[in-house]
Amino acid sequence: MIVFAASGKGGVGQSVTSCNLAYRLSLHGISTAYVDFDLGSPSAGAVFEIGSVDSGAETGNGLHSYLLGHDSIHRRVDVRASTHRKALHSRRSRGAALVLLPGDEGCGEAVSANDRQVVRRCRELLLDLDSTFKVVIVDLSAGRSVAMQIALEATRPLDMPDNEVYWLVYHRWTRQHLMSAKRVVHGPKGLLARAVELGYGLDDLLARIRFVRTAVPCVTGEHAAGGGPQAAWLLKQHDVLRSLAAEYRLGDSVSLGEVPVDRLLQWREQIVLDADVGAGIANWATVVAFDNLARRLVDRATWVPV
């Protein structure tokens, strides 16, 4: 199962949510590879707290160099064995494999979707990972990026007809981010339009796209933000956003789930451990949200056409 992580704009929590999703998958016994394909600023190493690749691998030793043909073997990092975070490192024998393929630090701009070698090597790498791991998460650059173009070309049905390829599109729970997510998927130069040009079936691809809402405030119950007029206003805005999401074809029926606002993640992008909840620095709702995303991702019922 190959899963591309995309978004309409940066700053939506795409990488930190995807890293936490990968961690939760591994806890469920699902071997997972995380491919950091953010061309401009690979950051998965920082989220996993692996100092040697916290802003990507040294130039010539990462994903982008591999795609350009500079290296025949791509670097793979065992997350639990390599992390500097003691609480995560101590769990290196727990769960299934979790491996990071880091991008190059600061050299992604050289990669082009027009380079047939890049597309071919990307396809070969994904096929190899797909045969080795149960889930392969590919974290793309934000927006209608070169990385997205390469992903579409590398996995087009003509070349990978039998592989399960899916898309997660992340957006914050605001009007502007809903508009951005709509453009990147349904816009005239968006994901769907480009995919159809490459021979994808529109209905089939639509069934393979789900949306993830991030930083969603609690508007009801004891944890609701504010009170009185503010709480009433937030509830009204929440209803407005739900209607807008449905209008933009980003509604509940095509949503994988949502992640609530958590002050821990607002201050520090990291893997949220159960121990963080026990220490009182993270919310249990956040752990539950990541866990639910992991369960739904690998549930075939999630991908039934709607």
Side-chain angles (χ1 to χ4, degrees):
M1 181 182 199
I2 300 170
V3 183
F4 291 109
S7 60
K9 58 168 59 179
V12 302
Q14 172 181 321
S15 294
V16 69
T17 305
S18 294
C19 286
N20 273 281
L21 172 58
Y23 172 66
R24 290 287 152 183
L25 286 167
S26 72
L27 287 184
H28 287 300
I30 299 170
S31 58
T32 305
Y34 193 99
V35 184
D36 197 345
F37 202 176
D38 188 330
L39 298 179
S41 181
S43 59
V47 179
F48 288 125
E49 299 184 50
I50 303 172
S52 59
V53 292
D54 60 1
S55 56
E58 293 181 5
T59 300
N61 194 30
L63 173 67
H64 309 112
S65 293
Y66 172 81
L67 293 178
L68 289 168
H70 297 165
D71 195 350
S72 59
I73 300 176
H74 184 269
R75 183 176 182 182
R76 303 184 184 189
V77 181
D78 184 319
V79 170
R80 290 187 185 83
S82 303
T83 182
H84 293 170
R85 188 175 177 191
K86 293 181 180 179
L88 181 56
H89 182 75
S90 66
R91 289 164 172 76
R92 58 189 179 277
S93 61
R94 182 184 175 192
L98 177 56
V99 171
L100 168 65
L101 281 71
D104 285 77
E105 182 177 4
C107 77
E109 298 306 319
V111 180
S112 169
N114 296 322
D115 189 329
R116 294 297 91 193
Q117 173 183 256
V118 168
V119 174
R120 176 181 59 80
R121 288 177 72 86
C122 181
R123 181 182 304 116
E124 291 172 352
L125 176 63
L126 292 175
L127 287 171
D128 177 52
L129 293 172
D130 196 29
S131 67
T132 306
F133 298 88
K134 290 185 178 180
V135 176
V136 180
I137 297 177
V138 186
D139 188 8
L140 303 174
S141 305
R144 292 175 292 222
S145 63
V146 172
M148 177 181 286
Q149 174 74 9
I150 294 171
L152 283 169
E153 298 223 19
T155 58
R156 61 180 186 159
L158 179 65
D159 299 308
M160 292 177 61
D162 301 321
N163 295 80
E164 294 181 281
V165 180
Y166 302 97
W167 292 77
L168 295 183
V169 180
Y170 294 83
H171 62 84
R172 290 175 63 90
W173 195 227
T174 72
R175 179 175 178 272
Q176 290 82 359
H177 283 88
L178 282 170
M179 293 171 63
S180 179
K182 175 191 175 184
R183 285 194 298 268
V184 81
V185 175
H186 298 289
K189 296 182 180 180
L191 172 61
L192 292 175
R194 182 57 185 146
V196 170
E197 293 176 0
L198 293 171
Y200 288 78
L202 180 59
D203 291 339
D204 180 62
L205 185 56
L206 278 170
R208 295 170 182 262
I209 299 173
R210 292 294 181 268
F211 296 87
V212 179
R213 303 167 184 172
T214 62
V216 179
C218 180
V219 295
T220 60
E222 61 178 318
H223 298 297
Q230 184 184 65
W233 182 86
L234 287 172
L235 186 59
K236 180 180 179 180
Q237 297 309 309
H238 182 66
D239 290 339
V240 169
L241 290 174
R242 285 175 63 90
S243 296
L244 195 61
E247 177 186 338
Y248 287 170
R249 290 169 286 175
L250 317 176
D252 293 345
S253 64
V254 289
S255 172
L256 186 72
E258 61 184 42
V259 180
V261 173
D262 192 307
R263 290 183 179 179
L264 169 65
L265 295 179
Q266 287 181 310
W267 284 91
R268 193 171 191 273
E269 296 180 327
Q270 66 174 56
I271 300 301
V272 180
L273 305 175
D274 292 6
D276 295 326
V277 177
I281 61 174
N283 299 324
W284 181 244
T286 306
V287 169
V288 171
F290 289 142
D291 205 57
N292 285 339
L293 290 177
R295 293 180 186 277
R296 292 169 185 164
L297 181 71
V298 295
D299 184 352
R300 291 191 178 276
T302 297
W303 306 103
V304 173
V306 293

